[in-house]
Amino acid sequence: MTYNRLTCGIRNALLASLLGSPALAAQAQQPPDGPAAVELDRIVVTAQSREQELKDVPIALQVVGEDVIEQTMAENLGDLDSFVPGLAIDDNQPTQAGFKLRGLSTGDFGIGTDPTVGVYVDGVYAGRGGGTVLPFLDVERIEVLKGPQGTLFGRNTAAGAVSIVTKRPSDHLEGRARLRVGNYGKQYFDGMLNLPTGETTALRINAMSSSTDGWLDDAATGKSLNDGRNWATRAAFRWDIGDNTQMLLSWDHEDLDQRSHPTIGIVELPPAPGLPPVPADPAQYQNPIGRAAWTDVPDNDETRRFDGATLILDHAFEWGHLSSMTAWRDFDTYNRAEEDGSNRRDLYLDTINIEDNRTWYQEFKFSGNTERLDWVAGASWFKEEASQSSVVDLTSDSINTAAAGLYGMPLFGMLQDAADFYGIPVQLFGNPWRESYDNTVDSTAYAVFGDVIWHATDKLNLTFGLRYTRDEKKFTWFNDYHRADALNQALQTLEQYGVLPQPVPCDALGLCAIDEDGDGLIPLDAAFLAGFDLAFSDPISMANKGVTNRAKNAWSDWSPRLVVDYHPSDDTMLFASVAKGYKAGGYNVFSPGASFDNEGVWNFETGIKRDLRDLRIQYEASAFYYVYDNRQAIRLDTTADIPRYVISTSDLTARGVDFSARWQASDRLSIDFATEWIDSTYKDFVTPDGIDLGGEPTGEADWSFAAGAAYTLPLAGHGDLTVSARHSYTGRNRCNSGSSSQGTCGRYANFTIGEERNRTDLYLRWRSPSTQWSVAAYVNNLFDNRYVNGLHTYGTTVVGSTAAGISEPRFYGMELMYRF
């Protein structure tokens, strides 16, 4: 088979996927002068690294097509997850995004652990959260594969894989320019040019620019709290080196510069200098939706610079096909966020996450087939070098507030009174205070894998896949003493005047405080204040102040996949499978020397797929059950006076059902529907708070669905009109006894976290007879449904403040597009 034939086959497969996802793919219509559709299009996908009809693929698979991306005005993956039941993407902070699939996720934002859901762009592993939620540029389709996919997609697919496929350069001249404007100052532009540069070469260039004025303003200054801009480019070059060989070289760049996620204070504050009670009382929390927002963070920015390059070489032999994929990714992120939800210096608290990440990926994949066998085999190498700084910023004012709650005495208030009494010209308030944890990781992963389909009979197929993975990691921790240069200089002045004593009994000058146990006194001398840290003050961190700690370890795993599929008729497939997923062990970024072992999941699944040509209906259903062992998550330990992040280990289990269907009701009308029901519970888990959650729900909603319909009306010689409506629903989260302490699920007097969610999108487009021009109007979140995303509780027991994040409002606008 020549490569041109192969390319044509793949292109047809992608188009078929766009036309016929069982759940979500766009309902692309025939041009007005084309033949009417009289039956469902046959759907061909490549989910198993082979071209197969969807009804022959024994995997729970959903496809989002290009038209769905256009009709929902989606700019990245986070705009689409509600339309894929079972998939949840937390992109409130795109530089620290999180993915969840069938209730499985990585509850950690540090570089010490890896994602549970693998994200791939053109087959290249995207790595961790900071480089996964990138703007869409020339996306052909998105495949969401549920359940472990280690033998098909490689790294970190214990819960499943999200595969983004972009368009390749073609042999004909084409282009696109699109302008979109909307409320809240939304401006979006993108353009594409596909340019054949010779008989065997072609170049495809994309550019995108997006900006917004933001939808939340500061109550004191009137300035936007979430405005920003984003621009990105992509270039792809294709060279047909010979009849059987092709090269594809692509480059991506993105520059994100926006305000960090806004938070809204939900604790009623007394007039200054009055202070709220410590800890804050959850019964008094106010509803953040509609409540005024303040911030006094001087630089509450979230930025990312991303660059990536990919080289793909494909060669077709008589016996099979060889593909080589070489990729490099580099991104730097900075995210400084308000945490106390106020503009008061005596409550000030912000956090900063700074990450520098570099990855290299090499994969060789062989594939072929005989009369009875279809096989894929390969080997991969992955290298990551990353550094991360986790920073907490306070002020001497908020430290004074925290000390009053912790030790029964405002440290700097008392010292300032003493300085004023003696006429010493120092100012202890209004000074910055910073604490940080710095980590690095150097990791390497090797893997070999194979997946074979044996066509035992004309109706029975047996699949066996196996993957061996070895992960090696080197990790460092460095936690220095706090930085407060201006404050320390003032304290040195007090020491010179004798107001700040040397280490002596605390009653020498009466400068002392009750310790946190309430059974002794702490001398407020230079030694105590120099070592006093608030954010990272647990015993392990305090014992390692100013010391670089190092560790290295290696983990390995064998991950099998077994599938049986039976075709009793041409339009029906029954299947059953068992597969193991694996994620390497790692390290707790906030606890020197703390490591954890591999995570593993066994997934059992059985289902049916039917393709009823006469009725123009296609549907699939599957039932699954999995057991997940040794799941690692970072949790906020609220048992201590000062909250701290710790790694917790849990085992969980889940059972559920996926169902999706598509109905081509007529040549003009298409309808699709998808739903998932899941019952996810902890098998064994005791939280850092000492709460036993064994047998309790993990916090997942038990039911979600998405439905859509598209209708195209020909306007005689005036083009056509397409209207699309989509609705998604996610049920109420099933909270557990430990949910409230994490701020992720809870029922409060004035609001609920984890309530049921609804979203409705409408889209109306007119397209010219030549299909070159189009004008569209859209509304996202038509009914302006608003929800509380979660609580920011770090300040709850420190300064008595608690903040909350809320979901986006309704967006609407117009779009003008020209194609040639």
Side-chain angles (χ1 to χ4, degrees):
M1 178 178 64
T2 66
Y3 191 85
N4 289 334
R5 291 174 57 196
L6 178 65
T7 303
C8 181
I10 293 176
R11 189 180 299 121
N12 291 337
L14 302 186
L15 178 61
S17 295
L18 289 173
L19 294 175
S21 165
L24 297 170
Q27 282 73 41
Q29 303 295 322
Q30 295 285 346
D33 56 352
V38 295
E39 64 176 20
L40 279 171
D41 300 289
R42 296 197 177 275
I43 306 168
V44 179
V45 295
T46 55
Q48 297 191 112
S49 298
R50 311 163 175 88
E51 293 185 21
Q52 296 174 284
E53 286 196 44
L54 181 65
K55 65 184 182 65
D56 297 328
V57 179
I59 296 175
L61 169 67
Q62 296 184 20
V63 180
V64 178
E66 182 183 8
D67 280 2
V68 171
I69 296 174
E70 291 183 353
Q71 293 169 8
T72 58
M73 302 294 157
E75 295 185 23
N76 57 53
L77 283 171
D79 297 331
L80 289 171
D81 61 328
S82 63
F83 297 114
V84 183
L87 176 66
I89 301 174
D90 179 4
D91 69 331
N92 292 319
Q93 303 177 80
T95 63
Q96 295 174 250
F99 287 73
K100 182 184 293 184
L101 192 56
R102 280 186 173 174
L104 296 178
S105 65
T106 296
D108 192 357
F109 54 78
I111 61 175
T113 187
D114 296 312
T116 304
V117 180
V119 179
Y120 293 80
V121 181
D122 292 331
V124 176
Y125 176 60
R128 62 184 67 259
T132 52
V133 180
L134 296 170
F136 287 149
L137 283 176
D138 222 16
V139 172
E140 180 93 22
R141 79 181 189 278
I142 302 164
E143 289 188 3
V144 180
L145 291 82
K146 299 181 179 182
Q149 306 295 331
T151 62
L152 300 173
F153 279 87
R155 279 186 60 80
N156 299 323
T157 56
V162 178
S163 178
I164 302 172
V165 180
T166 64
K167 296 181 180 180
R168 292 192 171 193
S170 63
D171 293 327
H172 58 278
L173 178 67
E174 62 174 317
R176 179 193 68 241
R178 173 167 48 190
L179 175 65
R180 185 183 305 158
V181 295
N183 58 334
Y184 301 110
K186 179 66 176 180
Q187 296 182 12
Y188 176 94
F189 171 81
D190 74 354
M192 180 275 295
L193 176 64
N194 187 94
L195 183 65
T197 55
E199 293 184 359
T200 60
T201 59
L203 177 66
R204 194 176 183 96
I205 302 174
N206 284 266
M208 183 279 298
S209 176
S210 177
S211 64
T212 177
D213 293 339
W215 48 266
L216 188 65
D217 295 331
D218 188 285
T221 66
K223 295 182 178 180
S224 176
L225 293 177
N226 57 353
D227 58 335
R229 66 169 185 82
N230 190 11
W231 71 273
T233 58
R234 173 180 173 83
F237 177 73
R238 194 201 81 220
W239 178 23
D240 297 331
I241 301 174
D243 290 341
N244 300 323
T245 306
Q246 186 183 81
M247 181 195 79
L248 180 68
L249 177 63
S250 62
W251 172 75
D252 295 88
H253 174 80
E254 185 230 23
D255 190 342
L256 172 70
D257 186 0
Q258 64 182 27
R259 300 290 182 185
S260 185
H261 71 97
T263 58
I264 300 174
I266 58 175
V267 174
E268 292 288 356
L269 303 179
L275 295 172
V278 179
D281 182 6
Q284 302 300 318
Y285 288 167
Q286 303 298 305
N287 189 346
I289 299 176
R291 187 175 170 85
W294 291 273
T295 184
D296 51 0
V297 178
D299 179 26
N300 63 319
D301 289 336
E302 182 173 18
T303 65
R304 175 175 58 203
R305 180 206 51 78
F306 174 91
D307 288 287
T310 302
L311 174 64
I312 299 176
L313 292 170
D314 286 304
H315 183 76
F317 298 94
E318 292 184 1
W319 52 266
H321 187 261
L322 168 64
S323 176
S324 169
M325 183 179 298
T326 307
W328 165 80
R329 298 286 184 269
D330 179 271
F331 68 82
D332 301 302
T333 67
Y334 175 90
N335 184 10
R336 187 174 190 177
E338 169 84 42
E339 295 291 349
D340 62 279
S342 77
N343 60 351
R344 288 181 48 170
R345 302 297 292 175
D346 54 355
L347 303 177
Y348 186 91
L349 177 63
D350 77 51
T351 58
I352 307 176
N353 183 75
I354 305 170
E355 187 173 349
D356 180 12
N357 186 285
R358 235 172 246 95
T359 61
W360 298 263
Y361 184 71
Q362 176 63 55
E363 179 181 272
F364 295 100
K365 184 178 291 186
F366 303 85
S367 61
N369 61 81
T370 65
E371 183 179 352
R372 288 294 182 183
L373 297 177
D374 287 317
W375 56 272
V376 176
S380 66
W381 170 83
F382 176 80
K383 176 77 171 178
E384 178 183 25
E385 295 178 354
S387 62
Q388 181 182 36
S389 293
S390 303
V391 181
V392 175
D393 280 325
L394 303 106
T395 64
S396 54
D397 310 61
S398 55
I399 290 289
N400 190 64
T401 300
L406 289 172
Y407 302 118
M409 182 188 67
L411 297 179
F412 302 129
M414 184 214 62
L415 291 173
Q416 186 67 61
D417 290 342
D420 294 342
F421 178 80
Y422 290 109
I424 303 173
V426 297
Q427 180 54 255
L428 301 181
F429 290 103
N431 297 308
W433 177 294
R434 171 167 291 188
E435 300 178 34
S436 67
Y437 235 117
D438 301 313
N439 304 105
T440 67
V441 67
D442 184 346
S443 64
T444 307
Y446 312 88
V448 291
F449 54 90
D451 197 84
V452 180
I453 301 176
W454 175 36
H455 305 293
T457 69
D458 291 341
K459 296 184 176 182
L460 178 65
N461 300 309
L462 303 177
T463 303
F464 174 71
L466 184 64
R467 180 184 185 88
Y468 172 76
T469 306
R470 177 177 174 82
D471 287 272
E472 301 173 353
K473 292 184 180 181
K474 299 177 182 178
F475 202 79
T476 69
W477 299 260
F478 179 75
N479 178 214
D480 206 353
Y481 294 98
H482 69 261
R483 291 290 305 275
D485 295 342
L487 177 64
N488 289 339
Q489 185 176 357
L491 293 174
Q492 290 172 7
T493 301
L494 293 182
E495 186 176 7
Q496 293 171 1
Y497 278 89
V499 175
L500 187 63
Q502 296 297 316
V504 294
C506 65
D507 57 1
L509 291 176
L511 305 180
C512 49
I514 299 174
D515 70 14
E516 36 197 304
D517 296 326
D519 57 3
L521 297 175
I522 298 174
L524 303 183
D525 51 36
F528 170 75
L529 292 175
F532 175 67
D533 278 339
L534 189 67
F536 305 111
S537 60
D538 60 280
I540 296 178
S541 296
M542 293 300 294
N544 289 273
K545 288 288 182 180
V547 177
T548 298
N549 291 269
R550 305 178 186 276
K552 63 179 180 178
N553 206 341
W555 302 267
S556 60
D557 180 79
W558 290 94
S559 301
R561 171 179 180 250
L562 299 173
V563 185
V564 177
D565 63 89
Y566 179 70
H567 301 250
S569 63
D570 290 340
D571 61 10
T572 304
M573 180 186 70
L574 306 174
F575 69 92
S577 67
V578 56
K580 181 187 179 185
Y582 154 82
K583 195 182 79 172
Y587 298 94
N588 179 354
V589 296
F590 296 127
S591 184
S595 64
F596 49 86
D597 294 328
N598 296 342
E599 299 180 31
V601 57
W602 281 98
N603 185 78
F604 306 87
E605 192 142 3
T606 184
I608 182 174
K609 296 192 177 188
R610 300 209 67 190
D611 190 9
L612 306 177
R613 296 278 117 187
D614 294 340
L615 300 177
R616 292 181 284 185
I617 294 175
Q618 187 178 69
Y619 71 87
E620 62 178 60
S622 63
F624 63 88
Y625 173 80
Y626 67 73
V627 178
Y628 202 110
D629 293 327
N630 203 37
R631 177 180 180 266
Q632 310 296 327
I634 191 166
R635 292 176 63 92
L636 192 63
D637 181 5
T638 58
T639 60
D641 292 324
I642 301 173
R644 60 194 180 100
Y645 285 106
V646 297
I647 288 289
S648 61
T649 303
S650 62
D651 299 333
L652 54 90
T653 184
R655 56 195 176 99
V657 175
D658 277 294
F659 175 83
S660 61
R662 184 176 71 92
W663 178 31
Q664 189 70 43
S666 70
D667 59 331
R668 300 176 182 177
L669 175 64
S670 295
I671 299 173
D672 59 73
F673 175 80
T675 186
E676 179 176 284
W677 175 84
I678 186 171
D679 176 21
S680 176
T681 58
Y682 286 110
K683 188 172 62 171
D684 181 21
F685 182 35
V686 178
T687 73
D689 308 60
I691 302 174
D692 187 354
L693 297 183
E696 294 197 32
T698 62
E700 296 304 305
D702 55 5
W703 185 47
S704 60
F705 76 82
Y711 183 81
T712 296
L713 176 65
L715 300 176
H718 303 287
D720 60 42
L721 195 66
T722 296
V723 59
S724 168
R726 293 198 167 273
H727 181 80
S728 68
Y729 168 85
T730 302
R732 172 176 290 194
N733 290 355
R734 301 168 60 208
C735 301
N736 55 55
S737 304
S739 296
S740 295
S741 66
Q742 301 303 301
T744 56
C745 189
R747 319 285 185 249
Y748 300 93
N750 297 308
F751 63 92
T752 296
I753 299 177
E755 62 182 310
E756 60 182 23
R757 298 191 174 208
N758 287 276
R759 171 178 164 175
T760 304
D761 288 7
L762 294 181
Y763 173 85
L764 178 66
R765 183 198 67 192
W766 170 82
R767 187 171 55 180
S768 68
S770 66
T771 72
Q772 288 184 309
W773 288 97
S774 65
V775 179
Y778 68 92
V779 181
N780 293 339
N781 188 19
L782 173 66
F783 300 105
D784 200 24
N785 294 315
R786 308 295 300 278
Y787 307 100
V788 181
N789 290 328
L791 301 186
H792 299 258
T793 59
Y794 198 94
T796 301
T797 60
V798 177
V799 294
S801 67
T802 302
I806 60 177
S807 64
E808 296 178 335
R810 173 174 51 228
F811 294 120
Y812 55 85
M814 299 285 294
E815 180 182 270
L816 174 66
M817 182 162 55
Y818 174 73
R819 298 176 185 265
F820 66 88

